[in-house]
Amino acid sequence: MNAPTRQRIELVFLLFFVSGFGGLIYESVWSHYVKLFLGHAAYAQTLVLVVFIGGLAVGSWLTSRYARRFSNPLRAYAWVEAVTGLLALAFHSVFVAATQWAYAWLLPATCDPAGTMCVSQWVLSALLLAPQSVLLGATFPLVSSAVLRWSSERAGHDISTLYFLNSLGATMGVLASGFLLIPAIGLPGTLHTAAFANLGVALGAFLLSRRAPEPLAVLAQASEGVAQAGGERRFVRVMLAVAALTGLSSFIYEISWIRMLSAVLGASTYSFELMLASFILGLAIGGWWIRRRIDSTGDTVRLLAIVQVVMGVAAAATLPFYALSFDFMAWIISSVARNEGGFVLFNLTSTTICLLVMLPATICAGMTLPLITYRLLRSPEGERSLGRVYAVNTLGSILGVVIAVHLLMPLVGVKATLIVGCAIDVALGLGLLVLASPHGSWRARWPAFAGVAALVFFAVAVDNDPRRSASGVFRTGAARIGDSNSVIYHRDGKTATVDVIQSDQNRSIRTNGKPDAAIAMKAGFAPTGDEYTMTLLAVLPMGHVQAKNAAVIGFGSGLSTSILLTSPYIQRVDTVEIEPSMVEGARAFRPLNAAAYDDPRSHIVYDDAKSYFARGHNRYDIIVSEPSNPWVSGVSSLFTEEFYARISQYLNEGGVFSQWLHTYEIDAETLASIVRAVSRTFPDYLVYTTIDADVVLIARKGAPAGRFDPAVLRYPDLQPTLARLRLTDPQSIAHRAVARASLITPFFTTYGSPVNSDYFPFVDYRTGKSRFTRPRVQELSDLQTSPIPVLEMLDGSYRPMTHTAPIYAHTDAELGAEQAFMLRDALLGTGSSRVTTPMMDLGEVAATLTREWATDCRHAPSFVQVLPAMIDVARVVTPNLDAPLAVEAWKPVVSSPCRATIDPADHAWLDLVDGVARRDGTVMRVSGLAALSTYRGVPSTMSEYAFLAAATAMVCRNELEDARVFIRDQRLRFVRPERLQSEIRLLRALAWSDAPLQTSCNGTRGATSGARDSR
């Protein structure tokens, strides 16, 4: 072979590397697109793979069928790449138009609302992907044919090199799309990047194809013993069957490993990208290793047999390492800092675990197709084998996905599923050894028998311990659940592994090791925070609309569904859950959730929520959305502007949407992206805190959210739950209201986050990182516990306490209220000592000191000495008590005769305390500025109190220009760094918006003049 020819071949190698890069970007991005339409049920996940891989098979088969008709295969390859790139440029627009049409017309007209599968939905998805998939399937046979026509001297080497480079490019494509492109430019931009790569490859291939090669002659026939074992055509069929079965086993491995490693790495999009990249990298290394040996091997079939046996044993050997990987991950989690650098180390560790689990077997898998193809090139099949081998291998892969997901995993679990794949490969190895030497001795087949023995050993000796898989090591850093905990339910479902864990205090249900709900089942233990969240998710919307029907997205523990069924007006509740094992496992929470199973009004549907709603004709008065955390792969699509727009279509006019959001393991920028997505469809919503870690967003279709109707709390069937949670007092609900959209939307807009979208999944990738770094959105809690009643004055939704109530302190606001009543009693001198914390102890000392000055200033410390303590008490008492109670508490102090003994300039501080208690914006502004004008110290609690009071009064009185100047010029003078950040951010957002506010700062009780309940 001359040098120019070799150079052309090497340029084709480079082009095919780029083609592999673009091809896996397509698979990754198309999966994102199609899952948006089909949802993330097992059927949808299977269909994505089936359509994509099936298209590859069809493309390969068609190319092999007409292989000899291509006079210039490289020119045909150029056209295939060009058309693929052009279709990719148009894909986004076509997908959006097609799915909108389907939701509006196709699904309601052609699908059974009660079914879990819709043929028309599958067909449309297949039509969207099939053209590009078929074209991609044609690339390998065409490129291989072109290379071999130029030179067949090193046929095995060149075929293996093509496998290697294409797989290596695919690995880089997966990593680039998942870690760089999609987070930076979204799905359309990533798709266009791959499209331009295709167009560049097409141009390069077209230039190289100007000189057509001669048709490929049949290579020298094999001299291996298999030819004498039977007809060569029968041998071809056997080898094609091997190609299909090894594809089947490989994808059984992939499905099993993904499920196993999700419990170690977490089920985030980042983890899935690393798993897929590791799998493909193994294929690439296998192709690279075999390329220098394939032409010189004396017995291709025997080598293939040994590779199959080694692959099966290597896959089985992942079981003991899988158990050790929990300890490895636990060590890393406990050793690295939860910051950006630690996240890099976490991903490197995750990659290492993926490689150690997957590489040994996938390297073998990367050798199989080059060996089979090379051998069949030396048969009468000749050039046709290039496409046929690839086609049957991909068809086998489809069967592997279907069998693993829908048959083996639910029936026998993940370990047995993996062992089935191993048994297939070892059996193939044994069969090939017999085929290679039909009259050979048993000694010649010892590798197969050794493989069988190893397989039996791993199957019997290695146990898949649910105490490890349920530990959530990627979050907790614990390789096993504690000895005091027990696994009372364990099931490998179609989409996730579900466990129910019993501890001393509560019972929790987990998916892939991540807790989704926890309930205190034993008497004598306080309710969990999750119980508050799950209960209020249902109670709050019932207090905003008198509903006849409702839907719940996500079963969880089943508690929210059961709470909805306590309403005497509810006639039907549809609960949509993807994973059947979740519903089965949640039976462990009976009798608290018994209504979800036993009440005839309850209907449980196993499906993706978007698909189910689109197929049905139902419209609901209430829709409750409580999916898993958005960092779980695919779940973030239930937090996008497209989802909220679509969900609104399934609400009756005036219907209420209840959305769970968490503030743990998420940063403010991410929460802002979700809130902005909600506001696109529901511009007037109301936010409640259930516990400090969770919030519930209440929105109403076509109307303001209105106020909560406390009559709901008197439903007879609801009483046991409310009594258990101590939520029977209406103020226990009102005290959890944070603010309306008029405050929350401008506040979160200041973070500059993009709106979370299906096609620009800002939340999906950001939460994958924040789940590790563990930030917390403290801003809403800061606003509720602010030293000045900013929420009450600027919005009015947040209601301070009017009386003490027997509540569990599950929020900072409740703790503040409890402390406020204690300090109020100390100010008035009417309470007995109820010190419960060191913080309260110090507060009571300060309150007592303030009261002593007001009652006997001649013997008490001077006002200047008492003033810091007085402000400390005011920061707690005033914002946490209803205005009349706050005024009553401070009356003995601000009206004390001792007022006449202090410097007139210091009267401003007493006026300020009184003005804030009265929620009187005029007094707050005047006295706050006056107090600051005489303040000469460094920024302190006192100056911050006066500054915040004055700034709040200006915004509340719609004196926005004055507020902007004051905040801009005086903040650094009177406020310490890192203090009052949430309050100042809110005031800046409102002051800089130039939109007049409906506020209450005229000395009233703080009732808002905003929207009322229009029920």
Side-chain angles (χ1 to χ4, degrees), residues 16 210 261 270 325 331 500 581 610 733 775 793 907 973:
F16 205 48
R210 288 178 295 181
L261 291 174
Y270 284 119
S325 67
W331 176 71
V500 178
S581 298
K610 291 184 290 186
I733 304 296
M793 296 180 66
H907 287 188
R973 180 180 176 188

Side-chain angles (χ1 to χ4, degrees), residues 34-98:
V34 177
K35 286 179 183 179
L36 294 173
F37 179 48
L38 295 176
H40 295 267
Y43 298 116
Q45 294 172 333
T46 302
L47 184 61
V48 170
L49 284 172
V50 166
V51 172
F52 182 75
I53 299 173
L56 298 180
V58 171
S60 301
W61 178 78
L62 289 174
T63 305
S64 68
R65 184 177 178 85
Y66 301 103
R68 295 188 177 93
R69 300 186 185 183
F70 292 110
S71 61
N72 191 337
L74 192 59
R75 176 68 56 87
Y77 170 70
W79 282 112
V80 165
E81 291 280 356
V83 174
T84 301
L86 293 174
L87 289 175
L89 292 175
F91 182 86
H92 177 77
S93 299
V94 172
F95 177 85
V96 172

Side-chain angles (χ1 to χ4, degrees), residues 249 252-253 308-309 311-317 417-427 455:
S249 64
I252 288 178
Y253 297 153
Q308 292 287 164
V309 172
M311 178 162 56
V313 174
T417 299
L418 182 70
I419 292 297
V420 168
C422 300
I424 291 172
D425 278 327
V426 172
L455 185 59

Side-chain angles (χ1 to χ4, degrees), residues 384-675:
R384 292 183 60 193
S385 65
L386 294 170
R388 294 187 68 184
V389 170
Y390 194 60
V392 298
N393 182 259
T394 50
L395 286 174
S397 301
I398 294 172
L399 289 175
V401 172
V402 174
I403 291 173
V405 172
H406 297 287
L407 181 63
L408 295 175
M409 198 75 72
L411 290 180
V412 298
V414 64
K415 174 188 172 183
T417 299
L418 182 70
I419 292 297
V420 168
C422 300
I424 291 172
D425 278 327
V426 172
L428 285 176
L430 178 58
L432 288 170
L433 284 172
V434 173
L435 184 66
S437 53
H439 304 296
S441 66
W442 289 106
R443 294 181 180 179
R445 298 163 192 171
W446 70 266
F449 297 116
V452 171
L455 185 59
V456 171
F457 170 78
F458 287 122
V460 174
V462 181
D463 184 29
N464 188 13
D465 186 2
R467 301 181 68 85
R468 289 184 177 272
S469 60
S471 67
V473 62
F474 53 89
R475 296 177 76 237
T476 64
R480 300 172 79 253
I481 61 173
D483 293 336
S484 61
N485 300 331
S486 59
V487 180
I488 61 176
Y489 176 88
H490 174 80
R491 178 66 59 84
D492 293 314
K494 292 183 178 181
T495 65
T497 296
V498 178
D499 296 279
V500 178
I501 308 300
Q502 177 67 58
S503 69
D504 291 338
Q505 297 185 0
N506 57 58
R507 185 172 293 173
S508 64
I509 190 166
R510 306 185 180 190
T511 55
N512 295 328
K514 187 197 77 64
D516 276 335
I519 295 178
M521 301 295 294
K522 295 182 179 179
F525 288 102
T528 67
D530 285 347
E531 291 180 66
Y532 283 88
T533 298
M534 293 182 292
T535 298
L536 289 173
L537 264 168
V539 169
L540 289 173
M542 290 195 296
H544 286 269
V545 65
Q546 194 175 96
K548 293 184 178 180
N549 60 356
V552 181
I553 301 172
F555 191 83
S557 69
L559 186 59
S560 294
T561 297
S562 297
I563 295 297
L564 286 170
L565 291 165
T566 63
S567 169
Y569 306 104
I570 287 285
Q571 300 173 5
R572 180 184 178 98
V573 177
D574 294 336
T575 306
V576 188
E577 170 60 48
I578 289 175
E579 177 51 59
S581 298
M582 193 76 176
V583 178
E584 184 64 28
R587 292 183 182 275
F589 295 111
R590 295 173 70 99
L592 296 180
N593 64 354
Y597 298 97
D598 303 335
D599 196 308
R601 297 171 296 166
S602 175
H603 300 269
I604 301 172
V605 180
Y606 300 114
D607 199 2
D608 170 70
K610 291 184 290 186
S611 300
Y612 174 74
F613 288 141
R615 291 203 308 271
H617 302 279
N618 294 330
R619 297 295 180 268
Y620 298 93
D621 296 321
I622 291 175
I623 295 179
V624 175
S625 180
E626 51 174 336
S628 190
N629 301 65
W631 60 262
V632 177
S633 180
V635 175
S636 68
S637 65
L638 298 178
F639 296 89
T640 64
E641 62 171 319
E642 293 85 358
F643 171 74
Y644 295 126
R646 195 168 296 122
I647 212 69
S648 175
Q649 300 173 14
Y650 311 123
L651 278 171
N652 290 320
E653 196 66 24
V656 173
F657 177 62
S658 177
Q659 171 72 71
W660 165 79
L661 298 170
H662 65 91
T663 60
Y664 60 92
E665 296 180 347
I666 193 173
D667 56 23
E669 289 80 4
T670 307
L671 186 60
S673 180
I674 297 174
V675 169

Side-chain angles (χ1 to χ4, degrees), residues 822-823 826 839-852 869 873:
M822 186 273 293
L823 296 183
M839 180 177 65
M840 288 185 177
D841 188 14
L842 294 175
E844 191 166 24
V845 169
T848 301
L849 183 63
T850 302
R851 179 173 58 83
E852 290 175 351
V873 176

Side-chain angles (χ1 to χ4, degrees), residues 43-44 110-122 406 494 606-607 611 615:
Y43 298 116
T110 61
C111 299
D112 178 8
T116 58
M117 293 182 291
C118 179
V119 174
S120 59
Q121 193 175 12
W122 288 31
H406 297 287
K494 292 183 178 181
Y606 300 114
D607 199 2
S611 300
R615 291 203 308 271

